[in-house]
Amino acid sequence: RMDGADASLNQAQEAGAELYAGREVEEARRLLSSARALFAAEDFVKADVLAELSAKRSQDALFKKINAAEASIATAKSVGGWEYD
């Protein structure tokens, strides 16, 4: 799960989710860091739990970014900003 959490965090960061969900991205980083420390200490069960939580926070951040983008598109459409001549 550590790799999955790392991939989820990278995906959120690459999508620019920090702009709309900075708190979630930061929490995902903190959880992943703690998971890595627990893994290194061979506390695999707790490491797995924290890695899973990190992935969830990263996904939450990514969804916030998507929702913000959809809201911007809806606004552009409502004011005619999506029309072309």
Side-chain angles (χ1 to χ4, degrees), residues 2-42:
M2 201 77 66
D3 289 340
D6 195 42
S8 292
L9 181 56
N10 286 336
Q11 183 181 24
Q13 290 173 321
E14 288 173 8
E18 289 178 274
L19 181 62
Y20 298 96
R23 193 174 322 153
E24 287 83 353
V25 172
E26 184 55 38
E27 186 177 357
R29 276 194 204 110
R30 183 184 56 76
L31 288 165
L32 185 55
S33 177
S34 295
R36 286 182 177 137
L38 287 166
F39 188 84
E42 298 183 5

Side-chain angles (χ1 to χ4, degrees), residues 8 24 41 52 63 75 81:
S8 292
E24 287 83 353
E52 187 173 335
F63 289 137
T75 299

Side-chain angles (χ1 to χ4, degrees), residues 59-79:
Q59 290 170 357
D60 291 346
L62 187 57
F63 289 137
K64 269 192 175 181
K65 166 70 175 172
I66 291 168
N67 288 339
E70 288 176 346
S72 294
I73 290 169
T75 299
K77 286 181 178 179
S78 73
V79 297

